[in-house]
Amino acid sequence: MSYPGVELFQTSAKGRGLKATRKFETGQAVLKQEPYAYAVMSSHIDVVCHYCLCAPGQPGAPVEDLHRCTGCKFAQYCTKECQKKAWPEHKQECAAIKRITPGKPVDQTRLVGRILWRRKREEKVNGEKKDGKENDEKKVELVKIEELEDHLSKRNAEEKEAIDEKVYSFGDYFTYDEMPDSDEEMAHLFAIIDCNAIGLNDHRGVQTIGVGIYPGISMLNHDCSPNCVAMNNGPRLEVRALRVIQPGEELCISYIDSLETTEKRREKLKLQYYFDCECDTCTKGEELENLKHALVSEDIKEESVKYINQFSKDMLKRIHKTKQNQNWERMCNQTLGTLAQQDCVIADTNVLKIAVLNHAVEVQSFLRRQEPALEYAERVAAAYEKLLPPVHPTLGMYLMRLGVIQWQIQKTEAAVATLGRAASIISKTHGDDHGMFKELLGLIHQCKMEAHMSKGAQREFRMAKKKAGLKLPA
Ligand SMILES: [Zn+2]
Ligand SMILES: [Zn+2]
Ligand SMILES: [Zn+2]
């Protein structure tokens, strides 16, 4: 095992898990792992480098354009260097994609293909090595890919059929000669992806751009108030401590959004990961749960609560629809109308209110009405501070957003303070060499320079920067 301070063990109720064998400080890296296999998601095929996952044109990206692989005309890379490094993993994939063109392989097919090709490469290397030394690729695993949980027996007929269909068409892509003979083995590979694949985000943490398999990190069990968080920096996944962890403690991450209510979290965990969560937050986290349903006062009548809950749910559906139709003025009116009614009954930490407040920030920012956007963003940030622990990626990222809005309306001093708080959290949850942390430092630097200028001079400074082709925060 190549991770100092981490050990695989048998838990009492959750099967295998990982535990600390030493103390970890808040923000300290617990585990870092390159993917066993990863793939860019279909939605981002033409947008990001298929090797390093950078998006050209965004801050921190090395070049402006992507270059297509001349073989398959599917894969794209930001530099020749990335293309070269990607080749061992892309070589056979390139031929497979050509084979099914003009069809395009789905994400899971590409991922399973990469797993199988990697396994073949490893078998070859192991076969050639007679001195008994383990190869480097293998050393970073805590478990073998075949040993990951697939929960196949817990799936219903429809889910099993969907897997069978993927197995059935896989041979067109991979070739039937090369494919493992056993359909069970193939079904297992597709099934472990459902339960173990980890979504990879862009450096801002806004969009999921890829998906990867990390056999070691997959051994981390879930907790609704976890002591660790897993964040990707490009394709590499890094697990960091969200608080001080003592030797012997089990290491856990959250598989889902911690801001959801207990009912919703348990429902999602059961549906996607096939278990009933019995963590302390689910069984004893009453205080936190009350905040998520909080009212503006104790005197509110039960029928008012019933009414506002139903009204909020209905309006959220309507706002979502309006957003899809890109009718921004209407979306603005709907969010403000909903908030006006909610304000009389439910508090800002109530999940139904946060959802509407988030829509309000989004639509006001989109319509370039930064003053109201700031007011709502401040309310969301205040609610997150009550609902989340002091070191949490969602809180850090939200403070970054709030700081950018403050900067946009030239509240530079407030922006420096907010962005500084964001940076202190992000350095612990994402690490100092993460693109988001570097972008934050750039923002803080710009704000500090502007803090001593008059408003007019600030505007001129920003225009000059824009003219010179330098990126401004958005
Ligand atoms: Zn690249
Ligand atoms: Zn290619
Ligand atoms: Zn739980």
Side-chain angles (χ1 to χ4, degrees):
M1 224 272 308
S2 59
Y3 300 112
V6 180
E7 171 175 278
L8 190 64
F9 80 118
Q10 200 66 33
T11 67
S12 53
K14 297 183 282 189
R16 292 169 298 179
L18 297 181
K19 71 174 176 190
T21 56
R22 50 165 279 199
K23 186 180 173 185
F24 288 102
E25 301 296 339
T26 309
Q28 201 174 350
V30 174
L31 281 167
K32 290 185 183 183
Q33 198 175 29
E34 298 295 337
Y36 185 87
Y38 69 112
V40 172
M41 282 175 96
S42 296
S43 53
H44 285 77
I45 287 293
D46 297 323
V47 192
V48 300
C49 170
H50 289 211
Y51 183 72
C52 72
L53 301 181
C54 79
Q58 277 185 15
V63 287
E64 294 289 319
D65 279 322
L66 290 168
H67 307 283
R68 228 171 255 282
C69 167
T70 48
C72 60
K73 299 187 175 58
F74 179 85
Q76 302 204 79
Y77 304 99
C78 66
T79 56
K80 280 262 171 275
E81 205 191 337
C82 271
Q83 183 161 20
K84 212 170 145 188
K85 284 187 193 155
W87 187 242
E89 279 195 310
H90 179 59
K91 194 176 158 191
Q92 284 143 312
E93 181 185 69
C94 192
I97 293 169
K98 272 197 276 185
R99 198 174 297 129
I100 61 158
T101 302
K104 282 189 166 62
V106 298
D107 303 346
Q108 286 161 318
T109 297
R110 276 185 288 128
L111 197 53
V112 170
R114 285 186 162 212
I115 291 170
L116 286 172
W117 285 312
R118 173 156 180 181
R119 209 162 66 180
K120 278 179 194 282
R121 285 201 304 278
E122 285 176 350
E123 278 164 10
K124 207 172 147 213
V125 171
N126 289 341
E128 281 164 7
K129 277 194 179 167
K130 297 206 169 72
D131 54 9
K133 261 190 217 161
E134 263 192 277
N135 85 48
D136 287 343
E137 279 193 319
K138 227 174 166 184
K139 228 186 269 172
V140 296
E141 293 169 45
L142 285 169
V143 289
K144 288 199 175 64
I145 192 117
E146 293 82 359
E147 292 168 14
L148 293 176
E149 192 61 66
D150 66 14
H151 294 296
L152 259 174
S153 60
K154 295 174 194 157
R155 303 198 191 204
N156 62 35
E158 210 177 305
E159 290 170 318
K160 281 182 184 157
E161 206 174 300
I163 288 178
D164 286 345
E165 240 161 70
K166 282 177 206 141
V167 172
Y168 183 70
S169 59
F170 188 71
D172 294 338
Y173 177 74
F174 199 78
T175 76
Y176 290 93
D177 292 348
E178 296 283 313
M179 217 168 119
D181 291 333
S182 136
D183 279 355
E184 281 78 50
E185 192 185 339
M186 287 306 302
H188 169 69
L189 283 176
F190 276 102
I192 60 167
I193 286 180
D194 291 345
C195 315
N196 295 278
I198 294 176
L200 305 174
N201 293 331
D202 63 0
H203 87 277
R204 284 231 176 127
V206 182
Q207 287 176 311
T208 307
I209 55 176
V211 61
I213 288 276
Y214 303 81
I217 290 172
S218 279
M219 287 295 108
L220 288 167
N221 285 316
H222 166 88
D223 191 290
C224 294
S225 299
N227 53 12
C228 288
V229 67
M231 285 287 160
N232 68 291
N233 190 353
R236 188 177 65 240
L237 201 61
E238 303 185 355
V239 177
R240 290 170 194 282
L242 289 175
R243 54 173 171 78
V244 174
I245 298 170
Q246 299 298 342
E249 262 189 77
E250 181 177 3
L251 301 163
C252 290
I253 56 171
S254 177
Y255 296 170
I256 49 157
D257 183 0
S258 305
L259 286 164
E260 303 259 34
T261 61
T262 300
E263 191 190 348
K264 271 266 160 63
R265 291 195 315 272
R266 287 173 60 97
E267 202 180 284
K268 280 191 180 171
L269 290 166
K270 183 79 182 173
L271 203 70
Q272 204 184 339
Y273 299 97
Y274 306 95
F275 71 91
D276 298 301
C277 190
E278 300 293 345
C279 79
D280 283 356
T281 309
C282 281
T283 53
K284 294 180 241 165
E286 229 171 78
E287 210 176 308
L288 191 62
E289 191 61 16
N290 287 341
L291 275 175
K292 291 179 181 177
H293 301 277
L295 307 174
V296 287
S297 90
E298 283 173 13
D299 309 326
I300 305 280
K301 289 199 176 77
E302 212 185 304
E303 53 262 43
S304 305
V305 179
K306 249 189 188 165
Y307 165 77
I308 204 75
N309 284 351
Q310 196 51 52
F311 169 75
S312 301
K313 283 174 195 165
D314 292 343
M315 283 311 292
L316 279 165
K317 277 185 206 150
R318 286 174 64 184
I319 293 169
H320 182 71
K321 226 175 165 181
T322 314
K323 186 181 158 183
Q324 280 183 323
N325 295 330
Q326 303 187 346
N327 190 342
W328 307 116
E329 282 298 344
R330 189 177 159 81
M331 181 176 164
C332 183
N333 290 335
Q334 284 176 332
T335 52
L336 298 193
T338 311
L339 280 175
Q341 294 223 33
Q342 287 184 328
D343 281 342
C344 309
V345 185
I346 56 178
D348 283 3
T349 56
N350 191 304
V351 284
L352 292 168
K353 183 100 157 264
I354 290 184
V356 182
L357 281 168
N358 267 316
H359 283 307
V361 177
E362 196 185 348
V363 72
Q364 301 284 1
S365 298
F366 186 83
L367 294 168
R368 303 207 170 273
R369 295 172 193 154
Q370 305 296 8
E371 298 275 353
L374 175 64
E375 185 202 318
Y376 299 123
E378 278 171 343
R379 286 169 67 180
V380 175
Y384 282 175
E385 276 178 90
K386 287 181 190 153
L387 295 169
L388 295 167
V391 176
H392 193 281
T394 307
L395 181 60
M397 289 190 280
Y398 206 82
L399 288 173
M400 180 173 176
R401 184 167 190 192
L402 178 64
V404 169
I405 299 174
Q406 288 169 329
W407 173 83
Q408 282 167 334
I409 50 173
Q410 296 181 290
K411 296 201 168 190
T412 32
E413 264 170 50
V416 170
T418 309
L419 294 171
R421 287 186 55 212
S424 126
I425 297 174
I426 297 291
S427 76
K428 296 187 181 89
T429 54
H430 294 63
D432 291 352
D433 62 348
H434 196 280
M436 195 185 295
F437 182 72
K438 288 178 193 163
E439 198 183 342
L440 261 169
L441 290 190
L443 272 166
I444 292 170
H445 181 70
Q446 162 131 6
C447 285
K448 279 187 177 164
M449 274 202 298
E450 288 185 6
H452 306 291
M453 299 177 189
S454 69
K455 300 268 183 222
Q458 282 181 12
R459 274 195 294 273
E460 273 176 39
F461 177 63
R462 288 179 192 187
M463 291 224 303
K465 258 192 119 175
K466 212 172 174 182
K467 254 190 182 162
L470 295 171
K471 290 210 167 54
L472 295 173

